[in-house]
Amino acid sequence: GNHQSAAMSGRLPPKRDSVKASRLSTQLQKRRDAARQRQRDARRDLTDHARSLAFGAEDSGSEASATRAVGDQDAMHRSSSNPQELALEHPGTSSTEAWVDVAQMGRESRHERSPRHRRSSSAPGKWSRESVARFSESQFMLPEWMVDVPPDLGHAWFATPRPKGQRVLVISSRGCTVSRLKNGRVLHRFPSALPGGSQRTMHGKAEDSFCILDCVFHQEDGVYYVMDCMAWNGMSMYDCTAEMRLSWLYSKLGDPETAECDAATGTGPNNRYRFAVPPTHNCDASGLRAAYGSPVPFRRDGIQFLAKDGNYELGVTPLAVMWKDPNTSDFFLDENPDGSDTQRVVLSLQSATGDVVTGDPTPIALARLPAHFLESAGRAAESAPAGDDSLGRDGTWRGNGGLRDGLLLRFAVGKSGLQIQDGLPVAADLVYEGIANQRRGGADTMTKILFQYYARREPITIEEIGMAVETQAREAAMAASSGSSASSVSIARSSQSFSGIPNGLFDF
């Protein structure tokens, strides 16, 4: 329909300074430091959460546990202490002390389940309607977008080319394998060679054998590229470091000639789709170059950076970062139906104040809707025809019930852009365009908005990242030779002196 446009009042930003200067920030690194501190100080138990994903979330206790794990924003940032660290060069060496035996913790007796529960949870795809409705993208670890270069990127992070495709959770249990999209709907249901994924790979009791993998389905060749591992053969790995999880993953599914689960790397009657692991590199200069330009058997959709010491967080985490440019992604800029390059954002309404906020665990208010607009929009919504539910089957808002708290609204970013302080947006010139699809998973995060804002003005380039990584390495080497500690290197320092990569390091 026709969407009413209304400029946000009272919070228009002043004239924008240099985009690169706006990336001078201490706040972004503080957020990464705080995430690491939460991992050291807190401990979570996602045993019931893993079981609810594997066995259908039908048990009330499992449902409550999964809801707590996903719904509590603070719990999304709690992680295990004493993480296990393994170098990728030695994928076969591991310690079971870091694992949680899901089968033995919180196991319920089969005799305690009602017949209804047995039927509905007999396979990972047999979920109730309510369970599918609760499933959202917060079941995944959601990376932030690169709006600065971490000062330890060159030695404390991995770089992995991300395949183009649909992101899914692949869950194998009770002789069946199911892949679920971010909205909970089933993409594929099939037999696989993963533990618990077919009748041939069910070992021991059903509760002892299941897997949960974070994957991208590459449509062109029908391959599931496994980006991360949250559970393997009944053992939870949510609270293991990325170094541990990826090392374990490579030992199981990496090289088809040496992988322990080699049957899953091909296709056959008991493994309909092939599983593969994208190449992961230490994010030094050579690793960054390989992640960016080395041949891969799939179409790239950006580069994913993972902090080596980061656990698998539910929801948004600063210890995972996504980056794209036109060479690595067909979707560098968010697409618009009208073909324009106007930036559009989706924000969440706080009905008590009229603020529209980001989708971060600690939301950031970018503007306040004028009181007269809230009143007129509210009256229009309340006068809309009533229905059984305010949300249509396609995710569109039917309008009855007024402008409720948390309603997702769509805006265009106006000519004055964003007001940025210490690297973070504090206000924006926004033009209201309408009510967004309510099933999209949530409002845009702060770093996504910033990344798209920079991408239209002065994007972070691979040369800029490469220069920062090389500078970090040089300073670390100088510090080691002099016995002093290395100083931090920010993207601002790198960009101020950047005039090109020496020796054509990133000259593709």
Side-chain angles (χ1 to χ4, degrees), residues 223 241 302:
V223 173
T241 65

Side-chain angles (χ1 to χ4, degrees), residues 111-239:
H111 300 292
E112 295 173 352
R113 301 193 192 109
S114 69
R116 179 180 65 86
H117 287 162
R118 284 199 301 270
R119 286 195 302 272
S120 59
S121 63
S122 60
K126 304 294 185 180
W127 283 16
S128 68
R129 189 174 181 180
E130 293 76 15
S131 297
V132 173
R134 276 196 305 273
F135 191 99
S136 71
E137 66 177 4
S138 58
Q139 302 280 358
F140 297 81
M141 180 168 66
L142 303 176
E144 293 192 345
W145 288 83
M146 181 173 280
V147 295
D148 77 326
V149 174
D152 57 355
L153 183 70
H155 69 271
W157 293 67
F158 293 126
T160 304
R162 185 194 184 278
K164 177 184 177 181
Q166 295 172 293
R167 191 177 182 186
V168 295
L169 278 190
V170 172
I171 305 164
S172 64
S173 71
R174 290 179 174 161
C176 183
T177 305
V178 167
S179 58
R180 288 190 178 273
L181 301 168
K182 289 191 289 187
N183 62 7
R185 298 190 180 277
V186 173
L187 177 63
H188 296 135
R189 183 179 288 111
F190 58 99
S192 77
L194 299 174
S198 69
Q199 294 299 321
R200 287 179 175 269
T201 58
M202 288 180 58
H203 305 296
K205 296 181 180 179
E207 289 80 359
D208 294 340
S209 183
F210 68 87
C211 292
I212 304 173
L213 305 176
D214 185 343
C215 300
V216 173
F217 181 68
H218 194 247
Q219 180 71 38
E220 284 81 350
D221 54 9
V223 173
Y224 279 97
Y225 286 97
V226 187
M227 304 298 293
D228 217 320
C229 177
M230 294 87 88
W232 184 271
N233 203 21
M235 293 178 290
S236 174
M237 304 187 77
Y238 281 93
D239 290 327

Side-chain angles (χ1 to χ4, degrees), residues 198-323:
S198 69
Q199 294 299 321
R200 287 179 175 269
T201 58
M202 288 180 58
H203 305 296
K205 296 181 180 179
E207 289 80 359
D208 294 340
S209 183
F210 68 87
C211 292
I212 304 173
L213 305 176
D214 185 343
C215 300
V216 173
F217 181 68
H218 194 247
Q219 180 71 38
E220 284 81 350
D221 54 9
V223 173
Y224 279 97
Y225 286 97
V226 187
M227 304 298 293
D228 217 320
C229 177
M230 294 87 88
W232 184 271
N233 203 21
M235 293 178 290
S236 174
M237 304 187 77
Y238 281 93
D239 290 327
C240 298
T241 65
E243 196 162 19
M244 167 73 175
R245 298 193 311 273
L246 294 181
S247 174
W248 181 254
L249 189 57
Y250 272 87
S251 72
K252 302 301 181 184
L253 296 171
D255 186 345
E257 295 184 1
T258 60
E260 294 181 29
C261 191
D262 59 323
T265 63
T267 58
N270 297 303
N271 197 71
R272 184 173 302 166
Y273 295 98
R274 187 166 65 89
F275 290 86
V277 183
T280 292
H281 309 275
N282 289 310
C283 196
D284 51 20
S286 61
L288 182 61
R289 178 187 175 95
Y292 184 79
S294 290
V296 289
F298 50 79
R299 296 180 66 184
R300 280 180 172 85
D301 188 23
I303 298 176
Q304 177 178 282
F305 298 90
L306 279 183
K308 295 179 180 180
D309 60 347
N311 295 348
Y312 193 97
E313 295 284 351
L314 296 178
V316 180
T317 173
L319 299 182
V321 177
M322 194 68 198
W323 175 87

Side-chain angles (χ1 to χ4, degrees), residues 7-8 11-13 366-367 412-419 427-431:
M8 305 300 98
R11 302 186 70 172
L12 298 184
L366 295 184
V413 176
K415 293 182 179 179
S416 297
L418 304 179
Q419 179 180 344
D429 175 14
L430 299 178
V431 178

Side-chain angles (χ1 to χ4, degrees), residues 402-421:
L403 297 180
R404 63 169 173 81
D405 193 59
L407 187 67
L408 299 179
L409 306 175
R410 186 176 66 255
F411 302 88
V413 176
K415 293 182 179 179
S416 297
L418 304 179
Q419 179 180 344
I420 301 172
Q421 294 179 1

